[in-house]
Amino acid sequence: MSIEVKVPVLGESITEATVGQWLKKPGEAVAQDEPICSLETDKVAIDVNAPTSGVMGEALVGEGDTVTVGAVIATIIDGAGAGDTTVSERKDETASVPSQATPEPSESDDAVVLSPAVRRAVLEHGIDPTTVKGTGKDGRLTKEDVLAAAEAKKTGTPAPTPAPAPTPTAAPSAAGRNVERVKMTRLRQTIAKRLKSAQETAALLTTFNDVDMTAVMDARAKYKDLFAKKHDVRLGFMGFFTKAACLALKDVPSVNAQLEGDEILYHDYVDVSVAVSAPNGLVVPVLRDADKKSFAQIEKDIADFGNRAKDGTLTMDDMKGGTFTISNGGVFGSLMSTPIINPPQSAVLGLHRIEDRAVVVDGEIVIRPMMYLALSYDHRIIDGREAVTALKIIKEAIEDPTRLLIDL
């Protein structure tokens, strides 16, 4: 009996997705709840799991096709035996390899970006992903790469090189130069539309300031080891800037507001959207009730967002809402920028790289670690005076972190 595989509910207000990759081929055995396909929505990648054990039937849509919630995208020939056998065989393969022989990937592994399906295969077969050559797009590991490596490890033979993924068609040129044509992912298309919409709709303006990072850097140097020992997380800069932003938004509530029709919605809470780099583009998971969280909890949440962005496990709920955004271009070396707001939010704080510069302090020229700050805002509901005041509060709190403790 054939069982239909349908597109699951993708999240509030999201009705369609793009087929990213088929993880199972027709005729392959599948186990119940095993991922058979990945979908790309406007915000995240989602695995479609097998509703039953059996054998993979026909794939009714191709990679890159747009599908809607509830649509039938494949069939599975029902038969628990096939799926169960596959699972037991994999367990036998895993048991035959000493667990201490190969390190498993950790959430903090920055060297290899793994999709959820590939990560599961790596953990199941005890394969070190850094030793396997990926044949997917941009050299990424595919599930087939991991399975080939596991089979080679089992038999003691060199791992066969899987057939490389199809490459985009290149337009030939008489001069011997080529132009590669690659379709934008759904996430990239959504980012483009939202950013362009923000520019066309909002009255965008950016105000700048610079901040002396000496006090924060001294505090980190003094307490980072104790902080890490007690809270099991690194003390970074984001905790300071998040706390400073919360202080400013409480004093200047319009910067934490949003426009809805002819009404302004003021929030008595601060949900900070934190811009995080993911394999398929920039995502902005939300740090909820940031104004009520401790430094340690803020740092833990941000670290968790970064790890889950890399392995593709952020959910729709993680990125829903948000009243203010902080984007740190400094980690990529940016000296200054004019960030674009994330609608329907009305402001975004841009952080940049720290560099030693000559500044005048008490009439003397000294060298200090300085950072440029940028606050882009919607001038329709935020006046220049309010924006400048908010940025000045952030600057003063960073230069004198004691203000964060006594709410000044």
Side-chain angles (χ1 to χ4, degrees):
M1 181 177 68
S2 294
I3 305 296
E4 294 180 338
V5 180
K6 298 181 179 181
V7 177
V9 175
L10 302 172
E12 184 180 353
S13 76
I14 297 179
T15 59
E16 62 180 25
T18 300
V19 178
Q21 180 183 8
W22 281 104
L23 307 175
K24 285 289 185 178
K25 298 177 182 178
E28 289 187 336
V30 297
Q32 185 172 359
D33 294 329
E34 183 179 10
I36 62 171
C37 174
S38 65
L39 301 177
E40 293 180 356
T41 71
D42 293 347
K43 295 183 178 180
V44 294
I46 296 175
D47 280 346
V48 177
N49 297 330
T52 185
S53 297
V55 176
M56 184 70 184
E58 182 182 5
L60 304 178
V61 293
E63 295 180 356
D65 289 351
T66 298
V67 293
T68 57
V69 172
V72 178
I73 59 174
T75 59
I76 291 179
I77 302 173
D78 189 17
D84 293 343
T85 300
T86 302
V87 173
S88 63
E89 287 175 353
R90 290 178 181 168
K91 288 181 179 178
D92 290 342
E93 292 175 3
T94 304
S96 67
V97 180
S99 59
Q100 68 272 21
T102 305
E104 293 181 351
S106 66
E107 291 294 327
S108 60
D109 187 355
D110 294 332
V112 181
V113 177
L114 306 177
S115 70
V118 173
R119 179 170 289 270
R120 277 189 286 270
V122 165
L123 292 172
E124 183 177 338
H125 293 286
I127 298 298
D128 180 358
T130 63
T131 64
V132 183
K133 180 176 177 59
T135 61
K137 182 179 179 181
D138 297 328
R140 296 177 191 165
L141 286 183
T142 66
K143 188 174 180 182
E144 288 71 24
D145 296 334
V146 177
L147 295 179
E151 182 63 24
K153 190 174 183 179
K154 176 183 175 184
T155 60
T157 59
T161 303
T167 56
T169 302
S173 169
R177 299 185 301 172
N178 295 318
V179 176
E180 185 180 46
R181 188 183 300 274
V182 180
K183 184 177 180 181
M184 294 172 68
T185 64
R186 177 172 290 272
L187 176 60
R188 190 76 251 172
Q189 292 178 47
T190 300
I191 292 173
K193 290 177 183 177
R194 287 177 62 83
L195 293 180
K196 188 58 180 175
S197 175
Q199 286 186 318
E200 294 175 344
T201 304
L204 287 179
L205 190 62
T206 303
T207 184
F208 299 94
N209 213 321
D210 59 0
V211 58
D212 185 344
M213 297 293 293
T214 300
V216 167
M217 294 177 72
D218 288 347
R220 288 185 68 220
K222 184 176 181 179
Y223 297 112
K224 64 179 181 180
D225 293 338
L226 289 174
F227 189 88
K229 183 177 181 180
K230 180 175 181 178
H231 300 293
D232 195 28
V233 68
R234 185 178 68 91
L235 177 60
F237 291 121
M238 285 299 291
F240 289 94
F241 278 103
T242 301
K243 281 291 189 181
C246 290
L247 196 65
L249 300 183
K250 289 294 185 180
D251 286 355
V252 190
S254 62
V255 181
N256 193 44
Q258 68 185 56
L259 195 63
E260 188 175 279
D262 59 357
E263 297 179 328
I264 300 176
L265 306 183
Y266 292 97
H267 306 99
D268 65 353
Y269 54 88
V270 180
D271 286 352
V272 177
S273 299
V274 182
V276 176
S277 181
N280 294 327
L282 195 71
V283 293
V284 279
V286 179
L287 187 65
R288 306 193 190 281
D289 294 316
D291 52 320
K292 298 180 176 64
K293 291 186 175 180
S294 66
F295 269 85
Q297 192 58 55
I298 289 172
E299 294 290 358
K300 287 179 180 179
D301 289 350
I302 292 175
D304 179 59
F305 287 153
N307 290 331
R308 290 197 285 139
K310 290 174 184 175
D311 62 28
T313 56
L314 285 172
T315 67
M316 296 293 184
D317 288 339
D318 290 325
M319 289 176 281
K320 188 183 302 180
T323 61
F324 182 78
T325 295
I326 298 178
S327 178
N328 186 4
V331 297
F332 304 110
S334 172
L335 177 64
M336 185 180 291
S337 67
T338 55
I340 300 177
I341 64 173
N342 181 23
Q345 298 173 23
S346 299
V348 52
L349 175 67
L351 309 183
H352 302 91
R353 78 170 185 251
I354 302 170
E355 63 176 11
D356 288 340
R357 293 204 299 269
V359 295
V360 178
V361 178
D362 297 329
E364 295 184 357
I365 299 177
V366 296
I367 303 298
R368 293 291 175 86
M370 304 296 294
M371 175 196 287
Y372 286 117
L373 301 179
L375 183 71
S376 290
Y377 58 98
D378 189 345
H379 210 349
R380 293 178 300 171
I381 66 172
I382 302 174
D383 294 332
R385 176 183 59 84
E386 294 173 314
V388 171
T389 299
L391 192 57
K392 186 170 178 287
I393 292 173
I394 294 172
K395 167 187 169 69
E396 292 173 344
I398 295 299
E399 293 184 339
D400 182 9
T402 304
R403 289 173 173 265
L404 299 175
L405 300 177
I406 58 178
D407 195 19
L408 281 180

